[in-house]
Short mmCIF file of all heavy atoms in Angstrom, two decimals:
data_model
loop_
_atom_site.label_atom_id
_atom_site.label_comp_id
_atom_site.label_asym_id
_atom_site.label_seq_id
_atom_site.Cartn_x
_atom_site.Cartn_y
_atom_site.Cartn_z
N ASN P 7 -1.74 10.14 -1.44
CA ASN P 7 -1.77 9.09 -2.46
C ASN P 7 -2.80 9.40 -3.55
O ASN P 7 -3.57 8.55 -3.97
CB ASN P 7 -2.03 7.72 -1.83
CG ASN P 7 -0.86 7.25 -1.00
OD1 ASN P 7 0.24 7.79 -1.10
ND2 ASN P 7 -1.07 6.27 -0.17
N LYS P 11 -7.62 14.89 1.16
CA LYS P 11 -7.81 14.55 2.57
C LYS P 11 -7.76 15.84 3.37
O LYS P 11 -6.90 16.68 3.14
CB LYS P 11 -6.74 13.58 3.05
CG LYS P 11 -6.94 13.15 4.49
CD LYS P 11 -6.16 11.89 4.77
CE LYS P 11 -6.38 11.39 6.18
NZ LYS P 11 -7.69 10.82 6.41
N ALA P 16 -2.09 21.34 10.94
CA ALA P 16 -0.79 20.89 10.44
C ALA P 16 -0.21 19.89 11.44
O ALA P 16 -0.40 20.03 12.65
CB ALA P 16 0.14 22.08 10.26
N PHE P 47 10.99 12.26 9.77
CA PHE P 47 9.53 12.14 9.94
C PHE P 47 9.01 13.01 11.09
O PHE P 47 7.95 13.60 10.99
CB PHE P 47 9.11 10.70 10.18
CG PHE P 47 9.05 9.82 8.95
CD1 PHE P 47 9.60 10.20 7.74
CD2 PHE P 47 8.43 8.59 9.02
CE1 PHE P 47 9.55 9.38 6.62
CE2 PHE P 47 8.36 7.75 7.91
CZ PHE P 47 8.92 8.15 6.72
N ILE P 60 2.56 7.81 0.21
CA ILE P 60 3.07 6.83 1.17
C ILE P 60 3.11 5.48 0.45
O ILE P 60 2.09 5.02 -0.06
CB ILE P 60 2.19 6.76 2.43
CG1 ILE P 60 2.20 8.12 3.12
CG2 ILE P 60 2.70 5.66 3.36
CD1 ILE P 60 1.33 8.21 4.37
#
Side-chain angles (χ1 to χ4, degrees):
N7 291 345
K11 183 162 183 71
F47 281 13
I60 298 178

